[in-house]
Amino acid sequence: MSSTSDGPRGSGAGPVGIGVAGLGRAFMLTLPSLLKDARFRLAGGFDPREEAMRAFTDAFGGGGHDSLDAMLADPAVEVVYVASPHELHADQACAALEAGKQVLLEKPIAESLEASRRIVATACRTGGRVIVGPAHSFDAPVLACLDLIRSGRFGKVRLVQMTTYTDFMHRPRRPEELDSARGGGVVFSQGAHQVDIVRLLAGGLTQAVSANAGNWDPERPGETAYSALLRFRGGASASLTYSGHGHYNSNELHDWIDELGWPRAPEQAFGARHRLRQGLASTDELALKNARTFGFAPIPDAAPENEHFGQVIVSLDGADIAVTPRGLTIYDDERLTTMPLPLPEGAGPRWPVLDAVWNMARGGPPAIQDAAWGHATLAVCVGIPEAAATDRWLPLADQVAVPDHPNLDQPETET
Amino acid sequence: MSSTSDGPRGSGAGPVGIGVAGLGRAFMLTLPSLLKDARFRLAGGFDPREEAMRAFTDAFGGGGHDSLDAMLADPAVEVVYVASPHELHADQACAALEAGKQVLLEKPIAESLEASRRIVATACRTGGRVIVGPAHSFDAPVLACLDLIRSGRFGKVRLVQMTTYTDFMHRPRRPEELDSARGGGVVFSQGAHQVDIVRLLAGGLTQAVSANAGNWDPERPGETAYSALLRFRGGASASLTYSGHGHYNSNELHDWIDELGWPRAPEQAFGARHRLRQGLASTDELALKNARTFGFAPIPDAAPENEHFGQVIVSLDGADIAVTPRGLTIYDDERLTTMPLPLPEGAGPRWPVLDAVWNMARGGPPAIQDAAWGHATLAVCVGIPEAAATDRWLPLADQVAVPDHPNLDQPETET
C-alpha cells in the first residue's frame, strides 16, 4: 500500500481509504494483498480488543479509531471493511451504510437470513454499495472460468462438481465459530464459499437443494460435513461435498498449494487435530485462536499463487473446465488445454476482490457479489441442513442471476 | 492359464473349467488376468458370431461349443462366465444354474429388477452359486479398504465420496449399450460399479437415494451423467457423481493410470468423441465396436497396475482413506500413511474376482457380491433416474448387508 495519489487504474481521486471493522483473522488474510495494492490506503481501524488496536497503531503509525462510530464519522474512510465475527456483520454493515459508506463485507453476509435481509434493505434504501467478500468466488481462476462460460464458446453449463476437504473444524476457534445458530460451522463459513462459486458458474438462480449433513466428531458441535445436490434455473445442476474434519485435504489435488495460495508441505496439510490437542494441553482455545489473529502473529507476505477452494469441475455442452490455483484446464472434444493464470506482477492473490472494491469506490462496474447476491448464497447455505433434516428437495427463494450467463437467455431475479 | 492339475490354492480337484457365454469386449477385458492364473482353464465358449467362435478356436486350439446348451451339457465346464449383452444375462445365468453350473455374471446383474429377481430366485432354488463380477468392487484396493474398515481401527464409516469422469459414452457402442431401457447407459453400466463400491464400503444397506440425472449430448441418448446422494443404515452417507461425456477424465487423479490398470498418456485419455467421429466417417459404429472385441483385436497383456473407478474418499470417525490404483492412502488425526498394494507376482489386476471364483468352485468362503448383492446394487441404480424424475428421496428395498461391517452391529438383510 502506498500513499501516492493514484492507483494503477486511478480516477484522479487518489487511493481509496479503507476502514477496517474487526482486526482479526479475516483482516490478517486480506492484509497482504491490500498492502501490495497502491490503489488503497488504510484510513482507519477499530476492534474492541486493546491489543489489536495497539498492534494496528504500531504497524501503521496510527489511524486507529476509538469506536466504530468514530471510524464511520471519519471522512477519510470511504469503504468500511467489515471483518468482524459473523453476528456483528448486519449491525456494522448497516451502520456503515447509514453513515454513507460503501461496504466490503466478509462472507458469510450474516448469521441469519433475517440479518442479511436487513443489510439488503439498508443498502437499497441508502443507495450504498456492498460487496460480499473476500470469498473464493473472487479467486482469479473462478472469474476466468466465468468469463470462458460467458463467451458461449462451449454452450451451456450442465454440471458443477465441487469436493472440498479441509481441517476447518480443527483450527483454533472461538465458540461461536463452531455454532451454526450463530453463523459458525461448515455450512455458514465454508458453504458460503462453495455455494458462491457454484452459483456464479451455474447462473446463480438456485431452484432447490437436497442434502445430507453430518457431524461425527464428539469434540466439535454442529455440522462438520455435508453433501448437497443443487438444481439451477437454466438447466445446470451441481454436487457439493465439504468435510472440515482435518483428515483428507483437497490441497492434494492442487500440488499441495493451500487454500490461501501457499505451497505447503503435505505434512502441514494434516495433523491439525493432533496439533490442536497438543496446544490445548498448555493453554485454552481462545488463546490459540488469538495467536493467529492480527496483533499476535506477524503480518504474512502475500501468497505466490492464486487461492482455491478444492476441486471444481464444470461441465458444459462442449467441454469440461477444471479450476485450479494455477489456472484453468479445458478438456474439449479433442484435447486438454491449459490456461495458466499466474498472479499479476506485484499483486497478492486477493487482487480481484480489490479490483471490485476499487470499482465500487470509483464508480466502475458493479461486482456480481453484492448484498442481494450474498443473501441468495446464504439462503442456499441455510437450506442445506434444513433439506437434510426434512428429507426433501427444498425450494429456494431470493435467488439472483449472473448477468450474461449462457444458461439464462433472459436474466432475471427471483423474488 | 495352464493345464497343470493344481492351482496355487488348489484343493486337489485341478483347475476350474470356465465356459464363456459371450466372447465380446467384457471377455477381452477379463481374459488377460484369466490367462495368467493357473487355477483356471478355458473349458468352453459360445458366441452366436462366427468370427468370434473362429477366433476362440484359433486362440485356444478348440474348445468352442456350437450352442449355449451344448456348453451347459459339457461336464468340463464347472463355472459359466456370462459375458454377453445385458439383456441376455438372466436367461443365460438361469439356464446355467438349472444345468447345475456355478455362474460368474458380468455387471450389471441384469437389465431390469424383474430379470435380476429371476436370477436370485433361480440361484436360491437350485442351490447354485453366483458371483456378479468382474466389477470394480473387486479391485484389490477397494477390498483392502473394506478390510481396514472391518478392522474397526478407525470407527464407523460416515461419508463416501466418489467422482468418476470417463469417456464411456463415446467409446464405440452397440445401440442397446446406450439405451437405459435395455440395461445400457451410464446408470446401468457405470452406476453398477460406483454403487457396488459404495455399498461395499458403507455397509450395503442403502436406505434412500436423491439424485440429478442428465443428458446434454444430442449425439447420445439416455442419461449420460448423474449425481446421487445415498443414505445407509448404520449412519453412513455417500455422494456419487458420474459423467461419461469424454471431457475431463478422473484418470488424472491417479497419475493417468486408466480404469483398466494401464499407464496411459494424458492425450489418450481425451478425444474419444473426436476419434469416434473420425471413425464414423469411414465405417459404422457396430464395426468400430466389433473391432474392440475378442476375435478382432489382439488379446492384450495383463495390465501392470490395479484397476480403479475414479476418485474414492472414505471418511470414518478416525481417518479418511483414499482408494487409488496404487493402494490406499490413510489420513488420520496425525499424518498421511500410504499402503502400497502392487499386483501379486505373476497376477493380472482381476486376480481378486478370480480368487472369489476359485473359492466358489472349490467350496471356499462366499463372495459378498452374489446374486442378491447384485440385485441390491441394481435396485439403487434403477432408483437414481427415478429419484431424479420424481424429485424425492426414493426409499430402496432388497438391500443386502456387508457382513462384519462396523456400522452394523447386527448385520441383517432387508427384504
Side-chain angles (χ1 to χ4, degrees):
Chain A
M1 193 156 36
S2 84
S3 56
T4 58
S5 62
D6 270 333
R9 306 184 189 188
S11 67
V16 172
I18 304 276
V20 184
L23 305 172
R25 174 103 183 131
F27 173 54
M28 273 281 270
L29 297 181
T30 300
L31 192 52
S33 291
L34 196 59
L35 290 173
K36 295 192 86 155
D37 197 324
R39 295 174 295 178
F40 300 94
R41 66 182 193 90
L42 266 185
F46 169 71
D47 193 295
R49 295 170 305 150
E50 273 177 35
E51 309 90 321
M53 291 305 296
R54 212 161 30 233
F56 191 87
T57 302
D58 290 351
F60 307 116
H65 291 87
D66 293 336
S67 67
L68 182 66
D69 286 344
M71 190 170 83
L72 297 181
D74 186 340
V77 171
E78 298 172 78
V79 173
V80 174
Y81 173 26
V82 176
S84 51
H86 305 165
E87 292 170 290
L88 302 178
H89 282 193
D91 282 352
Q92 294 187 341
C94 289
L97 288 164
E98 299 284 2
K101 308 297 186 189
Q102 299 181 327
V103 176
L104 174 63
L105 177 52
E106 273 283 338
K107 64 82 214 165
I109 183 172
E111 84 290 2
S112 70
L113 291 173
E114 186 189 356
S116 62
R117 274 196 199 97
R118 191 147 59 87
I119 298 169
V120 173
T122 304
C124 188
R125 180 167 49 74
T126 61
R129 288 170 69 181
V130 175
I131 290 172
V132 179
H136 285 294
S137 67
F138 281 104
D139 293 347
V142 172
L143 293 172
C145 186
L146 177 59
D147 284 346
L148 199 52
I149 290 167
R150 280 169 149 175
S151 77
R153 181 174 152 203
F154 297 117
K156 293 190 176 188
V157 174
R158 303 301 186 164
L159 172 65
V160 182
Q161 172 69 36
M162 278 195 75
T163 308
T164 315
Y165 283 63
T166 76
D167 57 11
F168 180 84
M169 295 303 293
H170 293 275
R171 300 172 202 155
R173 296 292 174 199
R174 292 186 305 272
E176 83 274 12
E177 291 184 287
L178 302 174
D179 184 349
S180 300
R182 301 176 67 188
V186 300
V187 170
F188 282 81
S189 284
Q190 302 288 281
H193 288 301
Q194 271 199 338
V195 171
D196 234 38
I197 292 171
V198 164
R199 288 188 54 240
L200 201 70
L201 301 178
L205 298 175
T206 328
Q207 294 180 306
V209 60
S210 176
N212 286 320
N215 173 19
W216 53 88
D217 191 335
E219 295 174 22
R220 296 305 214 188
E223 296 90 7
T224 54
Y226 62 81
S227 297
L229 302 181
L230 303 177
R231 293 177 183 171
F232 291 89
R233 184 177 293 186
S237 70
S239 176
L240 315 178
T241 290
Y242 186 93
S243 168
H245 280 269
H247 290 140
Y248 177 74
N249 192 307
S250 40
N251 293 347
E252 182 172 331
L253 302 172
H254 296 311
D255 278 343
W256 299 105
I257 296 171
D258 77 6
E259 181 184 337
L260 298 173
W262 283 102
R264 189 146 79 139
E267 53 271 26
Q268 291 178 282
F270 306 106
R273 192 181 293 240
H274 180 62
R275 286 191 295 274
L276 179 59
R277 284 178 190 153
Q278 284 184 316
L280 292 176
S282 57
T283 185
D284 65 16
E285 189 158 357
L286 191 59
L288 294 173
K289 168 76 190 190
N290 274 335
R292 288 157 52 89
T293 64
F294 180 78
F296 296 87
I299 298 172
D301 291 335
E305 307 266 8
N306 290 295
E307 299 194 357
H308 73 83
F309 205 63
Q311 182 185 38
V312 184
I313 307 166
V314 186
S315 296
L316 297 100
D317 292 310
D320 288 356
I321 305 172
V323 180
T324 84
R326 296 262 163 78
L328 303 180
T329 312
I330 302 156
Y331 313 79
D332 65 15
D333 286 357
E334 297 186 30
R335 63 181 66 83
L336 175 164
T337 312
T338 55
M339 183 189 287
L341 294 166
L343 291 187
E345 185 65 30
R350 296 197 170 178
W351 68 267
V353 72
L354 296 175
D355 254 20
V357 173
W358 173 262
N359 283 322
M360 174 169 74
R362 293 290 177 262
I368 294 170
Q369 297 96 323
D370 64 8
W373 175 273
H375 172 69
T377 289
L378 186 64
V380 180
C381 294
V382 169
I384 289 173
E386 186 180 343
T390 57
D391 299 349
R392 61 185 175 131
W393 277 95
L394 184 79
L396 293 165
D398 298 348
Q399 296 298 295
V400 177
V402 174
D404 306 320
H405 193 285
N407 286 40
L408 305 169
D409 292 338
Q410 299 174 308
E412 58 191 301
T413 297
E414 288 185 341
T415 52
Chain B
M1 192 158 36
S2 84
S3 55
T4 58
S5 61
D6 270 332
R9 306 186 189 190
S11 66
V16 172
I18 304 274
V20 185
L23 305 172
R25 175 103 182 130
F27 172 54
M28 273 280 271
L29 297 180
T30 301
L31 192 51
S33 291
L34 196 58
L35 290 174
K36 294 190 86 153
D37 197 323
R39 295 174 294 177
F40 300 93
R41 66 185 194 89
L42 266 185
F46 169 70
D47 193 294
R49 297 169 305 151
E50 274 177 32
E51 309 90 322
M53 290 305 296
R54 213 161 30 232
F56 191 87
T57 302
D58 290 351
F60 307 116
H65 292 87
D66 292 337
S67 67
L68 182 67
D69 285 344
M71 192 170 82
L72 298 182
D74 186 340
V77 172
E78 296 172 80
V79 173
V80 173
Y81 173 25
V82 177
S84 51
H86 304 166
E87 291 171 292
L88 302 178
H89 282 191
D91 282 351
Q92 293 186 342
C94 289
L97 288 165
E98 299 284 3
K101 308 296 185 188
Q102 299 180 327
V103 177
L104 173 65
L105 178 52
E106 274 283 337
K107 63 82 217 166
I109 184 172
E111 84 289 2
S112 71
L113 291 173
E114 186 190 353
S116 61
R117 272 195 201 100
R118 192 150 55 90
I119 297 168
V120 173
T122 304
C124 188
R125 180 168 49 75
T126 60
R129 288 169 70 180
V130 175
I131 290 171
V132 180
H136 285 294
S137 67
F138 280 104
D139 293 347
V142 172
L143 293 172
C145 186
L146 177 59
D147 283 346
L148 199 50
I149 290 167
R150 281 170 149 176
S151 77
R153 182 174 152 201
F154 297 117
K156 293 189 176 189
V157 174
R158 302 302 185 164
L159 173 65
V160 182
Q161 171 68 38
M162 279 196 73
T163 309
T164 315
Y165 282 62
T166 75
D167 57 10
F168 180 84
M169 294 303 292
H170 293 276
R171 300 172 202 155
R173 295 292 175 200
R174 293 186 305 271
E176 83 273 13
E177 291 183 287
L178 302 173
D179 184 349
S180 300
R182 301 176 67 189
V186 299
V187 170
F188 282 82
S189 284
Q190 302 287 281
H193 288 302
Q194 270 199 338
V195 171
D196 234 38
I197 291 171
V198 164
R199 288 187 56 238
L200 200 69
L201 301 179
L205 297 175
T206 328
Q207 293 179 307
V209 59
S210 176
N212 285 319
N215 174 20
W216 51 88
D217 191 335
E219 297 175 22
R220 295 307 213 188
E223 296 90 8
T224 54
Y226 62 82
S227 298
L229 301 181
L230 303 177
R231 294 178 182 170
F232 291 89
R233 182 177 295 186
S237 71
S239 175
L240 316 178
T241 289
Y242 186 93
S243 167
H245 280 269
H247 291 138
Y248 177 75
N249 192 307
S250 39
N251 294 348
E252 183 172 332
L253 302 172
H254 295 312
D255 278 344
W256 300 106
I257 295 171
D258 76 6
E259 182 185 336
L260 299 173
W262 283 102
R264 190 148 77 140
E267 54 271 25
Q268 291 179 282
F270 305 107
R273 192 181 293 239
H274 181 62
R275 286 191 295 274
L276 179 60
R277 284 179 190 149
Q278 284 184 315
L280 292 176
S282 57
T283 185
D284 64 17
E285 190 160 353
L286 191 59
L288 294 173
K289 168 77 190 190
N290 274 335
R292 287 157 53 88
T293 63
F294 180 78
F296 296 86
I299 298 172
D301 290 335
E305 307 265 7
N306 291 296
E307 301 195 357
H308 72 84
F309 205 63
Q311 183 185 38
V312 185
I313 306 166
V314 185
S315 296
L316 298 98
D317 292 309
D320 288 357
I321 305 171
V323 180
T324 84
R326 296 261 163 79
L328 303 180
T329 313
I330 302 157
Y331 312 79
D332 65 16
D333 286 358
E334 298 187 29
R335 64 182 65 84
L336 175 164
T337 312
T338 55
M339 183 191 288
L341 294 166
L343 292 187
E345 186 65 29
R350 296 197 171 178
W351 68 267
V353 71
L354 296 177
D355 255 17
V357 173
W358 173 262
N359 282 323
M360 173 169 74
R362 291 290 177 263
I368 294 171
Q369 297 97 323
D370 64 7
W373 176 273
H375 172 69
T377 289
L378 186 65
V380 180
C381 295
V382 169
I384 289 173
E386 185 180 344
T390 56
D391 299 349
R392 63 184 173 127
W393 277 96
L394 184 78
L396 293 165
D398 298 347
Q399 297 297 296
V400 176
V402 174
D404 306 320
H405 193 285
N407 286 37
L408 304 169
D409 292 338
Q410 299 174 311
E412 58 191 301
T413 298
E414 290 184 340
T415 50

